[in-house]
């Protein structure tokens, strides 16, 4: 049976978890930014009727 270096595995696991946390934060930020961008684009879409154009 192969020898397993538990300390090395634990260190690698910790590094992977840190990277995963960073990626999750980045994804959350990108989702938030894309939501704001979509809202801005909807508000400024010339095809969208505004209250002023409806009168």
């Amino acid at each position: 049976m192969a020898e397993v270096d538990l300390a090395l595995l634990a260190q690698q696991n910790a590094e992977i978890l840190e990277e995963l946390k960073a990626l999750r934060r980045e994804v959350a930020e990108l989702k938030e930014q894309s939501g704001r961008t979509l809202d801005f684009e909807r508000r400024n879409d010339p095809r969208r009727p505004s209250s002023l154009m409806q009168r």
Side-chain angles (χ1 to χ4, degrees), residues 2-3 5 7 10-13 15-20 22 25 29-30 32 34 40-41 43 47 51 55:
E3 296 251 345
D5 186 346
Q11 176 61 36
Q12 290 173 338
N13 191 39
E15 291 171 6
I16 291 168
L17 287 174
E18 284 302 314
E19 182 67 19
L20 182 59
R25 282 192 299 270
E29 289 172 8
L30 290 170
E32 185 180 328
S34 69
F40 177 79
E41 288 174 356
R43 283 195 307 271
R47 297 167 298 181
S51 58
R55 290 182 185 173

Side-chain angles (χ1 to χ4, degrees), residues 26-53:
E26 190 173 336
V27 167
E29 289 172 8
L30 290 170
K31 281 182 179 179
E32 185 180 328
Q33 288 175 6
S34 69
R36 286 196 304 260
T37 301
L38 288 174
D39 288 344
F40 177 79
E41 288 174 356
R42 277 191 212 108
R43 283 195 307 271
N44 294 302
D45 187 345
R47 297 167 298 181
R48 181 182 171 143
S50 70
S51 58
L52 294 174
M53 292 175 71

